Amino acid sequence: MKTTTYRVCTLCEATCGIAVDVEEGRVTRVAGDPADPFSRGYICPKAYGMKAIQEDPDRLRKPLVRDPGGGSFREATWEEALDFAITGLNRVRQSHGNDSVATYAGNPNAHSLHAMIYGPVLTKALQTKHRYSASSADQLPKMVSCGLMFGGALTVPIPDLDRTQYLLVLGANPLVSNGSLMTAPDVKSRLRGIRERGGKVVVVDPRRTETCAEADEHVAIRPGADAAFLLALVNVVLSGGGAKLGRLADSTLGLSDVERVVAAFTPKRVSGFSGIPEDTIVRVAREFAEAKAAACYGRIGTTCQEFGTLTSWAVDVLNLVTGNLDREGGVMFPEPAANRGGNRESVPGPG
Ligand code: SF4
């Protein structure tokens, strides 16, 4: 008899809903769940591949241990394997200190409720400062800038793709990544949705990426010039109509410092540095500021570079001064579906 079980794909941040058909203990089909309000039936090839992973003869089904001194692995019970790991970890910590142990969390662990609940418990018990993840590999500048700007490492505002009218993408290729730090299953349909409702998608990237095929415009930029480009956009906005802080006016500090900093980043100067024509910088700034709702989104190309933290900050300064921070159709702060045990700031998850 066939039964269908509904789960969430944990292979990436998009967390698509999946429907898994099982007959006589065997998975017969993995499909998208059309009733999932977030992914709406979409899954990518990785989720289809879960059946093959499940049946792969090389998949580990029991713990393996290798006794000290080398040799080949042998099967062990869970009790033996856990004792083995605990003994080894404690031996290393006692001999070389807590920081001699490092942890790494990546996909799919970072999107598993089990790991979200118990991972922080383990890392806290180990008392090591060496905690690595996909975040530390490619997004910490964003978390640093958001931590300083908004007060918490996981306070990263993400674009409201389904309501925005102008999406400015820098250093990101969501058609391939499925929208890292954006959590957006079926990005292609969502980008098309912006254009179908009369909006605009602009991609700023040194390379003509796959996402450019779904955009209205590709603006080629010299690698590493994103911060200067964004500060030039802010310069145009502030020297035009000024900042539109709206209800955030009372909670915004340091705008006069921003005005002073961006004064040097004129479109003319930044044009030479970035390789983007002056009139394109001015036009993009005005389009962004005048759009009914606009969102600026930067990803790995803006963080894994010389000015990663500055660029990450400038993304949200642009959103802020155009009235698009923390509003529908702009960038918004997501509410987690589950409380991460009070460790949200100390345990960054991968994006
Ligand atoms: S985009 Fe693919 S890998 Fe990511 S959650 Fe959805 S189905 Fe899984």
Side-chain angles (χ1 to χ4, degrees), residues 8-18 30 32 39 42-48 50 107 111 176-179 184-187:
V8 165
C9 172
T10 56
L11 294 182
C12 89
E13 177 189 332
T15 55
C16 300
I18 54 174
V30 177
S39 54
Y42 169 85
I43 53 172
C44 81
K46 283 198 280 186
Y48 288 111
M50 281 178 168
N107 294 334
H111 308 296
V176 171
S177 70
N178 290 308
D186 197 8
V187 162

mmCIF file of all heavy atoms in Angstrom, residues 8-18 30 32 39 42-48 50 107 111 176-179 184-187, ligand 1:
data_model
loop_
_atom_site.group_PDB
_atom_site.id
_atom_site.type_symbol
_atom_site.label_atom_id
_atom_site.label_comp_id
_atom_site.label_asym_id
_atom_site.label_seq_id
_atom_site.Cartn_x
_atom_site.Cartn_y
_atom_site.Cartn_z
ATOM 1 N N VAL A 8 9.966 18.519 4.713
ATOM 2 C CA VAL A 8 10.643 19.680 4.139
ATOM 3 C C VAL A 8 12.023 19.239 3.681
ATOM 4 O O VAL A 8 12.713 18.514 4.398
ATOM 5 C CB VAL A 8 10.753 20.805 5.191
ATOM 6 C CG1 VAL A 8 11.749 21.863 4.753
ATOM 7 C CG2 VAL A 8 9.393 21.439 5.436
ATOM 8 N N CYS A 9 12.427 19.640 2.488
ATOM 9 C CA CYS A 9 13.773 19.320 2.002
ATOM 10 C C CYS A 9 14.770 20.165 2.799
ATOM 11 O O CYS A 9 14.646 21.386 2.867
ATOM 12 C CB CYS A 9 13.884 19.632 0.511
ATOM 13 S SG CYS A 9 15.570 19.480 -0.112
ATOM 14 N N THR A 10 15.741 19.505 3.396
ATOM 15 C CA THR A 10 16.715 20.234 4.229
ATOM 16 C C THR A 10 18.035 20.479 3.493
ATOM 17 O O THR A 10 19.024 20.856 4.105
ATOM 18 C CB THR A 10 17.018 19.434 5.512
ATOM 19 O OG1 THR A 10 17.474 18.136 5.139
ATOM 20 C CG2 THR A 10 15.802 19.311 6.403
ATOM 21 N N LEU A 11 18.041 20.235 2.186
ATOM 22 C CA LEU A 11 19.318 20.327 1.471
ATOM 23 C C LEU A 11 19.779 21.757 1.246
ATOM 24 O O LEU A 11 20.941 21.981 0.936
ATOM 25 C CB LEU A 11 19.226 19.579 0.139
ATOM 26 C CG LEU A 11 19.050 18.058 0.266
ATOM 27 C CD1 LEU A 11 19.013 17.404 -1.094
ATOM 28 C CD2 LEU A 11 20.167 17.451 1.096
ATOM 29 N N CYS A 12 18.864 22.719 1.343
ATOM 30 C CA CYS A 12 19.333 24.103 1.262
ATOM 31 C C CYS A 12 18.346 25.006 1.966
ATOM 32 O O CYS A 12 17.280 24.585 2.428
ATOM 33 C CB CYS A 12 19.621 24.546 -0.168
ATOM 34 S SG CYS A 12 18.229 25.246 -1.061
ATOM 35 N N GLU A 13 18.702 26.266 2.023
ATOM 36 C CA GLU A 13 17.946 27.259 2.776
ATOM 37 C C GLU A 13 16.514 27.446 2.279
ATOM 38 O O GLU A 13 15.646 27.904 3.030
ATOM 39 C CB GLU A 13 18.726 28.579 2.671
ATOM 40 C CG GLU A 13 18.099 29.754 3.302
ATOM 41 C CD GLU A 13 18.864 31.026 2.934
ATOM 42 O OE1 GLU A 13 20.080 30.960 2.680
ATOM 43 O OE2 GLU A 13 18.232 32.088 2.915
ATOM 44 N N ALA A 14 16.248 27.058 1.022
ATOM 45 C CA ALA A 14 14.909 27.294 0.468
ATOM 46 C C ALA A 14 13.838 26.464 1.170
ATOM 47 O O ALA A 14 12.659 26.804 1.150
ATOM 48 C CB ALA A 14 14.913 27.005 -1.032
ATOM 49 N N THR A 15 14.237 25.359 1.792
ATOM 50 C CA THR A 15 13.330 24.504 2.579
ATOM 51 C C THR A 15 12.003 24.220 1.875
ATOM 52 O O THR A 15 10.925 24.486 2.405
ATOM 53 C CB THR A 15 13.063 25.111 3.991
ATOM 54 O OG1 THR A 15 12.568 26.433 3.850
ATOM 55 C CG2 THR A 15 14.319 25.130 4.812
ATOM 56 N N CYS A 16 12.094 23.655 0.684
ATOM 57 C CA CYS A 16 10.886 23.351 -0.098
ATOM 58 C C CYS A 16 10.094 22.204 0.537
ATOM 59 O O CYS A 16 10.672 21.262 1.095
ATOM 60 C CB CYS A 16 11.271 22.933 -1.514
ATOM 61 S SG CYS A 16 12.175 24.195 -2.408
ATOM 62 N N GLY A 17 8.784 22.275 0.405
ATOM 63 C CA GLY A 17 7.928 21.192 0.877
ATOM 64 C C GLY A 17 7.992 20.017 -0.090
ATOM 65 O O GLY A 17 7.930 20.195 -1.315
ATOM 66 N N ILE A 18 8.150 18.807 0.445
ATOM 67 C CA ILE A 18 8.204 17.624 -0.422
ATOM 68 C C ILE A 18 7.157 16.597 0.001
ATOM 69 O O ILE A 18 6.792 16.510 1.168
ATOM 70 C CB ILE A 18 9.607 16.956 -0.436
ATOM 71 C CG1 ILE A 18 10.083 16.633 1.000
ATOM 72 C CG2 ILE A 18 10.618 17.836 -1.134
ATOM 73 C CD1 ILE A 18 11.387 15.835 1.024
ATOM 74 N N VAL A 30 9.711 11.087 -4.970
ATOM 75 C CA VAL A 30 9.807 12.342 -4.217
ATOM 76 C C VAL A 30 9.321 13.451 -5.139
ATOM 77 O O VAL A 30 9.804 13.587 -6.266
ATOM 78 C CB VAL A 30 11.264 12.632 -3.779
ATOM 79 C CG1 VAL A 30 11.344 13.977 -3.058
ATOM 80 C CG2 VAL A 30 11.795 11.521 -2.879
ATOM 81 N N GLY A 32 7.369 17.628 -5.395
ATOM 82 C CA GLY A 32 7.068 18.880 -4.701
ATOM 83 C C GLY A 32 5.671 18.814 -4.100
ATOM 84 O O GLY A 32 4.793 18.149 -4.644
ATOM 85 N N SER A 39 6.850 27.006 -0.975
ATOM 86 C CA SER A 39 7.480 26.547 -2.221
ATOM 87 C C SER A 39 6.460 26.228 -3.309
ATOM 88 O O SER A 39 6.823 26.076 -4.477
ATOM 89 C CB SER A 39 8.340 25.316 -1.947
ATOM 90 O OG SER A 39 7.593 24.307 -1.311
ATOM 91 N N TYR A 42 7.199 23.561 -5.915
ATOM 92 C CA TYR A 42 8.502 23.574 -6.588
ATOM 93 C C TYR A 42 9.525 22.728 -5.831
ATOM 94 O O TYR A 42 9.579 22.767 -4.600
ATOM 95 C CB TYR A 42 9.021 25.017 -6.672
ATOM 96 C CG TYR A 42 10.459 25.107 -7.118
ATOM 97 C CD1 TYR A 42 10.790 25.102 -8.470
ATOM 98 C CD2 TYR A 42 11.494 25.176 -6.181
ATOM 99 C CE1 TYR A 42 12.118 25.169 -8.879
ATOM 100 C CE2 TYR A 42 12.822 25.241 -6.586
ATOM 101 C CZ TYR A 42 13.118 25.240 -7.932
ATOM 102 O OH TYR A 42 14.436 25.306 -8.332
ATOM 103 N N ILE A 43 10.308 21.950 -6.527
ATOM 104 C CA ILE A 43 11.549 21.410 -5.972
ATOM 105 C C ILE A 43 12.601 21.427 -7.082
ATOM 106 O O ILE A 43 12.262 21.441 -8.275
ATOM 107 C CB ILE A 43 11.429 19.969 -5.403
ATOM 108 C CG1 ILE A 43 10.837 19.000 -6.417
ATOM 109 C CG2 ILE A 43 10.679 19.964 -4.098
ATOM 110 C CD1 ILE A 43 10.884 17.547 -5.939
ATOM 111 N N CYS A 44 13.857 21.421 -6.683
ATOM 112 C CA CYS A 44 14.931 21.413 -7.675
ATOM 113 C C CYS A 44 15.454 19.975 -7.823
ATOM 114 O O CYS A 44 15.048 19.077 -7.077
ATOM 115 C CB CYS A 44 16.040 22.389 -7.254
ATOM 116 S SG CYS A 44 17.170 21.701 -6.038
ATOM 117 N N PRO A 45 16.367 19.720 -8.759
ATOM 118 C CA PRO A 45 16.837 18.341 -8.990
ATOM 119 C C PRO A 45 17.450 17.679 -7.758
ATOM 120 O O PRO A 45 17.461 16.446 -7.659
ATOM 121 C CB PRO A 45 17.873 18.510 -10.105
ATOM 122 C CG PRO A 45 17.464 19.749 -10.818
ATOM 123 C CD PRO A 45 16.891 20.650 -9.771
ATOM 124 N N LYS A 46 17.951 18.478 -6.811
ATOM 125 C CA LYS A 46 18.571 17.856 -5.634
ATOM 126 C C LYS A 46 17.548 17.058 -4.834
ATOM 127 O O LYS A 46 17.860 15.994 -4.298
ATOM 128 C CB LYS A 46 19.222 18.931 -4.753
ATOM 129 C CG LYS A 46 20.535 19.433 -5.309
ATOM 130 C CD LYS A 46 21.350 20.151 -4.250
ATOM 131 C CE LYS A 46 20.874 21.548 -4.048
ATOM 132 N NZ LYS A 46 21.736 22.322 -3.136
ATOM 133 N N ALA A 47 16.335 17.586 -4.728
ATOM 134 C CA ALA A 47 15.315 16.863 -3.953
ATOM 135 C C ALA A 47 14.883 15.593 -4.696
ATOM 136 O O ALA A 47 14.661 14.548 -4.078
ATOM 137 C CB ALA A 47 14.118 17.759 -3.686
ATOM 138 N N TYR A 48 14.782 15.655 -6.026
ATOM 139 C CA TYR A 48 14.459 14.433 -6.778
ATOM 140 C C TYR A 48 15.520 13.365 -6.525
ATOM 141 O O TYR A 48 15.243 12.175 -6.523
ATOM 142 C CB TYR A 48 14.378 14.727 -8.282
ATOM 143 C CG TYR A 48 13.156 15.520 -8.693
ATOM 144 C CD1 TYR A 48 13.272 16.825 -9.146
ATOM 145 C CD2 TYR A 48 11.887 14.953 -8.629
ATOM 146 C CE1 TYR A 48 12.160 17.558 -9.514
ATOM 147 C CE2 TYR A 48 10.759 15.678 -8.998
ATOM 148 C CZ TYR A 48 10.904 16.975 -9.440
ATOM 149 O OH TYR A 48 9.789 17.692 -9.801
ATOM 150 N N MET A 50 16.968 12.647 -3.842
ATOM 151 C CA MET A 50 16.963 12.042 -2.498
ATOM 152 C C MET A 50 16.693 10.538 -2.536
ATOM 153 O O MET A 50 17.212 9.786 -1.722
ATOM 154 C CB MET A 50 15.879 12.702 -1.641
ATOM 155 C CG MET A 50 16.282 14.044 -1.093
ATOM 156 S SD MET A 50 14.909 14.700 -0.161
ATOM 157 C CE MET A 50 15.721 16.052 0.648
ATOM 158 N N ASN A 107 25.123 22.599 5.173
ATOM 159 C CA ASN A 107 23.879 21.966 4.723
ATOM 160 C C ASN A 107 24.099 20.463 4.680
ATOM 161 O O ASN A 107 25.178 20.028 4.318
ATOM 162 C CB ASN A 107 23.524 22.445 3.321
ATOM 163 C CG ASN A 107 23.186 23.921 3.321
ATOM 164 O OD1 ASN A 107 22.765 24.467 4.313
ATOM 165 N ND2 ASN A 107 23.389 24.565 2.186
ATOM 166 N N HIS A 111 19.750 23.212 8.335
ATOM 167 C CA HIS A 111 18.314 23.371 8.102
ATOM 168 C C HIS A 111 17.526 22.225 8.710
ATOM 169 O O HIS A 111 16.387 21.977 8.324
ATOM 170 C CB HIS A 111 18.048 23.504 6.600
ATOM 171 C CG HIS A 111 18.893 24.570 5.984
ATOM 172 N ND1 HIS A 111 18.769 25.889 6.326
ATOM 173 C CD2 HIS A 111 19.929 24.505 5.115
ATOM 174 C CE1 HIS A 111 19.661 26.595 5.684
ATOM 175 N NE2 HIS A 111 20.388 25.783 4.944
ATOM 176 N N VAL A 176 20.763 30.074 -9.657
ATOM 177 C CA VAL A 176 21.557 28.873 -9.405
ATOM 178 C C VAL A 176 21.570 28.531 -7.917
ATOM 179 O O VAL A 176 21.472 27.370 -7.527
ATOM 180 C CB VAL A 176 22.997 29.078 -9.936
ATOM 181 C CG1 VAL A 176 23.906 27.939 -9.504
ATOM 182 C CG2 VAL A 176 22.981 29.198 -11.450
ATOM 183 N N SER A 177 21.657 29.557 -7.060
ATOM 184 C CA SER A 177 21.795 29.290 -5.617
ATOM 185 C C SER A 177 20.464 29.041 -4.930
ATOM 186 O O SER A 177 20.431 28.633 -3.781
ATOM 187 C CB SER A 177 22.468 30.483 -4.937
ATOM 188 O OG SER A 177 21.584 31.591 -4.912
ATOM 189 N N ASN A 178 19.360 29.315 -5.604
ATOM 190 C CA ASN A 178 18.016 29.280 -4.995
ATOM 191 C C ASN A 178 17.844 30.353 -3.928
ATOM 192 O O ASN A 178 17.010 30.227 -3.040
ATOM 193 C CB ASN A 178 17.694 27.901 -4.414
ATOM 194 C CG ASN A 178 17.485 26.867 -5.494
ATOM 195 O OD1 ASN A 178 16.703 27.084 -6.395
ATOM 196 N ND2 ASN A 178 18.204 25.756 -5.420
ATOM 197 N N GLY A 179 18.642 31.387 -4.029
ATOM 198 C CA GLY A 179 18.388 32.545 -3.178
ATOM 199 C C GLY A 179 18.982 32.469 -1.798
ATOM 200 O O GLY A 179 18.260 32.581 -0.814
ATOM 201 N N ALA A 184 14.139 31.594 -0.838
ATOM 202 C CA ALA A 184 13.106 31.798 -1.845
ATOM 203 C C ALA A 184 13.051 30.626 -2.810
ATOM 204 O O ALA A 184 13.744 30.630 -3.826
ATOM 205 C CB ALA A 184 13.375 33.086 -2.612
ATOM 206 N N PRO A 185 12.246 29.609 -2.513
ATOM 207 C CA PRO A 185 12.102 28.520 -3.478
ATOM 208 C C PRO A 185 11.546 29.049 -4.793
ATOM 209 O O PRO A 185 10.770 29.997 -4.803
ATOM 210 C CB PRO A 185 11.075 27.586 -2.815
ATOM 211 C CG PRO A 185 10.898 28.054 -1.430
ATOM 212 C CD PRO A 185 11.386 29.465 -1.344
ATOM 213 N N ASP A 186 11.934 28.406 -5.873
ATOM 214 C CA ASP A 186 11.453 28.767 -7.211
ATOM 215 C C ASP A 186 11.716 30.253 -7.508
ATOM 216 O O ASP A 186 10.812 31.015 -7.845
ATOM 217 C CB ASP A 186 9.959 28.455 -7.339
ATOM 218 C CG ASP A 186 9.535 28.425 -8.800
ATOM 219 O OD1 ASP A 186 10.412 28.487 -9.692
ATOM 220 O OD2 ASP A 186 8.315 28.349 -9.049
ATOM 221 N N VAL A 187 12.972 30.623 -7.369
ATOM 222 C CA VAL A 187 13.363 32.021 -7.593
ATOM 223 C C VAL A 187 12.964 32.490 -8.991
ATOM 224 O O VAL A 187 12.523 33.626 -9.173
ATOM 225 C CB VAL A 187 14.886 32.178 -7.394
ATOM 226 C CG1 VAL A 187 15.387 33.454 -8.032
ATOM 227 C CG2 VAL A 187 15.219 32.183 -5.917
HETATM 228 S S1 SF4 B 1 15.780 24.372 -3.703
HETATM 229 FE FE1 SF4 B 1 16.210 22.184 -3.981
HETATM 230 S S2 SF4 B 1 17.739 21.661 -2.423
HETATM 231 FE FE2 SF4 B 1 16.835 23.618 -1.850
HETATM 232 S S3 SF4 B 1 15.191 23.063 -0.440
HETATM 233 FE FE3 SF4 B 1 14.269 23.250 -2.489
HETATM 234 S S4 SF4 B 1 14.338 21.169 -3.317
HETATM 235 FE FE4 SF4 B 1 15.733 21.213 -1.561
#
